[in-house]
Amino acid sequence: MNAKAVSVIDMDWDAFDPWRIQPLTHTLTEHPLLQSDQLVALGKRCRGTSRWYSFSSNVSAGTNFDDAASLFPSGQSAVDSLRDIANANAWVLLRHIQADPLYQELVDFVINSIRSQIERKDPGLYYRAGWIFSASPRTATPFHIDRSHVVLLQVRGTKTIYVWDPDDTVVVSDRARDCFHMRHDLSRTVWHEEFRDRAHAFVLKPGTGVYMPLTSPHMVETSNEASTTISFTYNTDATRRIAKIHVMREMLNRMGITPPAFGRNNIFDHAALAAASAIIVCRGPGGHPPACPSLLHKSAYAVAD
């Protein structure tokens, strides 16, 4: 690993805990592939695929993330929005950029630069992916959770990200996480304004960012200027185990059996992991979409499901 790669992302790696939110800095703001003309070109290459998602700036923190595009359509194409994001009144996501050969090189460059640091404490990194977010001024990213660890880097503009601890069951319950891992269902992940008081709030400017563990709830609000952000996501052996346990818990919930609080009963968790692993291999619940494809197969790159 060369010196340039090592310096891409800087955070306190000695204090790194895969289950703790942590601020960081980075050196990607001037990267050629993250400039506006290249994002427009990438948007054009994403036409006709599922690799983009867009909605208008009329969304709120409480909008269901998965329904935002249908509830608040942007009224123009992602490419047109990207051309003039400052005035587009829109939020645009370019998904799974690792599916594009140029951007796969960027994803590999960044992930490989930090892989050894991550795997010292969280081994088995796989399912890497990249996501680029462009948002007009005064636009929210609705409250939601993700199926991977997230390294979020601010490239242009400023915004505030509110992040909650991954084990905060007041903000997102065990049952909400169970539903999410089994069915990618956010219907139980519901925003309440009073959650702000429990959040870690980071004002991100170019060259800064934040690391967020698996299913850390988060919500974003841009400032009075447009914003461009890139995130790099990945899973590990630990996230795969946890997701499988949640799948088994949701199967029990649907049978009318209430499992113990997550992570509080090692015997239950070991049994749930074994049972879920067997069911997933047989392509039962958790072994096919909308559950994460990584639960069935460990692949180097994430799949655009």
Side-chain angles (χ1 to χ4, degrees), residues 113-124:
S113 77
I114 58 177
R115 182 170 187 166
S116 64
Q117 300 279 21
I118 290 166
E119 290 197 317
R120 287 191 306 149
K121 298 180 179 179
D122 195 11

Side-chain angles (χ1 to χ4, degrees), residues 45-252:
R45 296 197 295 276
C46 289
R47 285 172 173 162
T49 75
S50 63
R51 298 203 312 272
W52 65 274
Y53 185 66
S54 180
F55 47 76
S56 82
S57 296
N58 296 322
V59 300
S60 68
T63 302
N64 184 298
F65 186 92
D66 290 335
D67 295 336
S70 57
L71 293 172
F72 300 98
S74 64
Q76 59 188 330
S77 71
V79 171
D80 287 340
S81 294
L82 289 168
R83 281 197 182 103
D84 188 18
I85 194 65
N87 299 298
N89 193 40
W91 182 100
V92 179
L93 166 62
L94 299 178
R95 307 171 65 242
H96 290 289
I97 63 172
Q98 74 281 356
D100 184 274
L102 277 177
Y103 285 84
Q104 185 181 110
E105 291 183 10
L106 176 60
V107 170
D108 286 341
F109 172 69
V110 173
I111 294 292
N112 289 342
S113 77
I114 58 177
R115 182 170 187 166
S116 64
Q117 300 279 21
I118 290 166
E119 290 197 317
R120 287 191 306 149
K121 298 180 179 179
D122 195 11
L125 186 152
Y126 75 107
Y127 215 62
R128 60 181 67 186
W131 317 73
I132 297 174
F133 307 84
S134 295
S136 299
R138 298 173 297 281
T139 298
T141 302
F143 180 69
H144 67 287
I145 56 179
D146 291 323
R147 300 190 292 195
S148 302
H149 292 322
V150 178
V151 180
L152 187 77
L153 312 179
Q154 187 68 6
V155 176
R156 276 185 297 280
T158 59
K159 66 184 184 183
T160 302
I161 181 165
Y162 299 86
V163 191
W164 290 263
D165 293 322
D167 58 354
D168 189 335
T169 55
V170 172
V171 175
V172 175
S173 68
D174 283 344
R175 181 69 194 277
R177 289 183 170 88
D178 298 341
C179 291
F180 180 69
H181 281 293
M182 181 169 166
R183 304 195 302 273
H184 202 196
D185 180 0
L186 286 168
S187 62
R188 293 177 179 267
T189 304
V190 180
W191 169 253
H192 295 284
E193 188 62 30
E194 57 267 28
F195 288 169
R196 287 183 193 265
D197 293 337
R198 302 178 63 88
H200 304 268
F202 299 90
V203 178
L204 299 185
K205 60 184 181 180
T208 67
V210 62
Y211 167 80
M212 300 183 292
L214 174 81
T215 67
S216 295
H218 53 286
M219 183 272 290
V220 180
E221 294 171 334
T222 60
S223 67
N224 291 327
E225 56 185 334
S227 168
T228 300
T229 309
I230 186 167
S231 71
F232 298 91
T233 63
Y234 61 89
N235 289 85
T236 64
D237 292 342
T239 67
R240 193 167 190 244
R241 288 193 299 270
I242 287 169
K244 287 182 176 183
I245 293 169
H246 277 292
V247 167
M248 191 67 230
R249 289 169 54 86
E250 181 58 10
M251 282 190 270
L252 293 173

Side-chain angles (χ1 to χ4, degrees), residues 264-292:
R264 302 293 179 87
N265 187 318
N266 287 334
I267 294 174
F268 171 84
D269 287 350
H270 284 300
L273 174 60
S277 296
I279 292 168
I280 288 168
V281 165
C282 296
R283 296 184 180 271
H288 52 80
C292 183

